[in-house]
């Protein structure tokens, strides 16, 4: 049974300024239920967490700020929430090197545990061939009841979500902003479709605006939720390849779709294949891999 008070304390701590995932994990190691969270003085916080006195004072102030407590109560009312101390925290994320401490969600919460799921990533400036590639490779997977995870960015990400939505499939969008600060604005309508029929999640506080470093940071969640990551199109120095690096670090499968050697959007995929990524020409390439690996995946 989950400890509601511990969850509330963790959500309060998560909203405090001057804290990081490292600080929170350190506190959880010392006190897994955060039972003594409100008992520390500024000096004790400074010593325990190796903070400057300014940061310790700020943390102490926030821990005794009733306004933050009210915000946490509103979070519980407005969002699905998974914390690292919850029994129903997704197992696939608990296993990655840097799991999110908190996830906020809107939509269907059961999707977060769904398998088989495939991370679909690629350039924000896809070629004319991209949609045909995705229809050929991914649409049959929807029929096989696969779920797609992507980042709701322009280009390939948006295509993946729309494909799943159009064919009554399942998809998860992982944002690089808070759920109340949707980015990009061009996908506001898509966001509303996803929270109605699918799932949108973020590790950032709901009102957090997008920041450049959020996008490579959230990529570990995209790859972590899935047994594999497929790159549809990517330039040689594409940000999508950060997700590939995360997937490899997490021990996940990595796939790439080849294309014309003359297109900038395929050079990243070709480099991946040269480096050992699995080349995908047919949906059966993915189905076979999942059928062979699902027993070990589902037991983890």
């Amino acid at each position: 049974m989950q400890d509601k008070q511990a969850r509330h304390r963790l959500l309060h701590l998560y909203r405090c300024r001057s804290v990081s995932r490292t600080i929170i994990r350190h506190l959880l190691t010392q006190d897994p239920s955060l039972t003594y969270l409100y008992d520390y003085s500024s000096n004790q916080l400074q010593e325990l967490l190796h903070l400057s006195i300014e940061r310790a004072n700020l943390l102490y102030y926030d821990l005794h700020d009733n306004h933050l407590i009210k915000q946490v109560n509103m979070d519980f009312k407005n969002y699905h929430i998974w914390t690292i101390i919850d029994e129903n925290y997704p197992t696939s994320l608990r296993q990655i090197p840097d799991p999110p401490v908190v996830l906020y969600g809107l939509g269907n919460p059961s999707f977060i545990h769904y398998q088989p799921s495939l991370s679909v990533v690629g350039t924000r400036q896809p070629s004319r061939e991209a949609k045909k590639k995705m229809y050929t490779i991914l649409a049959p997977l929807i029929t096989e009841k696969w779920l797609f995870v992507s980042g709701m960015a322009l280009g390939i990400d948006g295509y993946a979500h729309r494909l799943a939505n159009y064919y009554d499939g399942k998809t998860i969008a992982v944002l690089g902003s808070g759920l109340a600060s949707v980015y990009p604005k061009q996908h506001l309508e898509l966001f509303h479709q996803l929270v109605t029929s699918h799932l949108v999640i973020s590790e950032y506080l709901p009102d957090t605006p997008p920041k450049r470093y959020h996008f490579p940071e959230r990529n570990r969640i995209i790859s972590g939720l899935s047994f594999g990551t497929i790159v549809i199109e990517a330039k040689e120095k594409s940000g999508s390849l950060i997700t590939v690096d995360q997937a490899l670090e997490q021990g996940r499968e990595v796939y790439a779709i080849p294309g014309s050697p003359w297109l900038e959007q395929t050079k990243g995929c070709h480099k991946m294949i040269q480096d050992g990524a699995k080349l995908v020409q047919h949906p059966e390439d993915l189905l076979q891999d999942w059928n062979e690996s699902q027993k070990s995946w589902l037991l983890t």
Side-chain angles (χ1 to χ4, degrees):
M1 190 173 191
Q2 294 181 172
D3 185 336
K4 292 183 179 180
Q5 291 184 333
R7 295 184 82 229
H8 196 284
R9 288 190 288 267
L10 178 54
L11 264 292
H12 185 180
L13 177 63
Y14 197 70
R15 273 196 167 272
C16 293
R17 295 165 292 178
S18 79
V19 299
S20 63
R21 293 193 297 274
T22 301
I23 287 174
I24 293 174
R25 289 193 188 101
H26 183 70
L27 270 176
L28 288 171
T29 300
Q30 302 292 321
D31 181 9
S33 297
L34 300 175
T35 304
Y36 306 105
L37 182 64
Y38 301 119
D39 297 334
Y40 298 117
S41 66
S42 291
N43 289 335
Q44 288 173 322
L45 289 169
Q46 180 187 15
E47 183 177 349
L48 178 65
L49 302 175
H50 309 292
L51 301 175
S52 66
I53 188 60
E54 291 81 11
R55 289 185 68 188
N57 285 337
L58 190 61
L59 177 54
Y60 179 85
Y61 176 84
D62 284 351
L63 285 173
H64 296 82
D65 183 350
N66 287 329
H67 176 66
L68 283 188
I69 295 174
K70 290 178 181 178
Q71 284 186 310
V72 171
N73 291 333
M74 290 302 297
D75 290 340
F76 279 118
K77 291 180 180 179
N78 294 332
Y79 304 102
H80 306 297
I81 296 176
W82 297 268
T83 79
I84 196 71
I85 63 174
D86 292 347
E87 294 174 1
N88 71 336
Y89 185 89
T91 303
S92 58
L93 291 181
R94 200 184 292 277
Q95 296 168 342
I96 69 175
D98 183 18
V101 174
V102 174
L103 285 171
Y104 301 90
L106 288 170
N108 188 332
S110 69
F111 281 15
I112 204 163
H113 301 288
Y114 190 90
Q115 293 297 332
S117 64
L118 179 71
S119 297
V120 182
V121 298
T123 178
R124 288 173 169 79
Q125 299 171 317
S127 73
R128 293 180 180 179
E129 297 178 0
K131 285 186 178 180
K132 185 175 180 181
K133 291 178 186 176
M134 296 180 74
Y135 177 80
T136 301
I137 301 296
L138 300 184
L141 300 181
I142 298 172
T143 303
E144 295 292 330
K145 302 188 184 305
W146 283 40
L147 178 148
F148 300 149
V149 184
S150 200
M152 213 181 78
L154 299 175
I156 297 299
D157 289 22
Y159 288 177
H161 296 309
R162 288 193 174 96
L163 192 68
N165 186 60
Y166 184 82
Y167 288 104
D168 296 322
K170 298 177 178 65
T171 188
I172 297 174
V174 185
L175 301 191
S177 61
L179 295 177
S181 183
V182 179
Y183 180 87
K185 295 300 182 185
Q186 298 95 312
H187 279 174
L188 188 58
E189 182 180 352
L190 175 61
F191 171 82
H192 290 303
Q193 292 173 352
L194 296 180
V195 300
T196 299
S197 304
H198 303 279
L199 178 63
V200 183
I201 61 174
S202 175
E203 69 176 320
Y204 304 109
L205 296 173
D207 292 325
T208 304
K211 296 180 181 177
R212 184 177 293 274
Y213 70 88
H214 286 173
F215 297 96
E217 186 176 53
R218 65 88 193 266
N219 288 351
R220 77 193 195 287
I221 301 174
I222 294 175
S223 58
L225 281 170
S226 306
F227 91 97
T229 293
I230 187 168
V231 181
I232 307 299
E233 287 186 343
K235 297 180 181 179
E236 199 159 2
K237 295 184 179 180
S238 170
S240 302
L241 302 185
I242 297 173
T243 312
V244 172
D245 291 338
Q246 298 280 9
L248 291 170
E249 184 182 6
Q250 295 162 356
R252 306 295 199 253
E253 300 290 346
V254 172
Y255 305 94
I257 299 179
S260 167
W262 317 121
L263 285 176
E264 286 295 321
Q265 293 95 325
T266 62
K267 289 184 177 180
C269 292
H270 294 165
K271 181 66 166 59
M272 285 176 59
I273 293 167
Q274 285 181 325
D275 291 342
K278 296 184 180 181
L279 184 154
V280 174
Q281 299 182 87
H282 309 284
E284 288 77 13
D285 298 331
L286 294 160
L287 288 165
Q288 183 177 348
D289 257 22
W290 170 248
N291 288 334
E292 290 175 357
S293 65
Q294 65 176 308
K295 287 184 179 179
S296 59
W297 174 260
L298 293 172
L299 286 172
T300 57

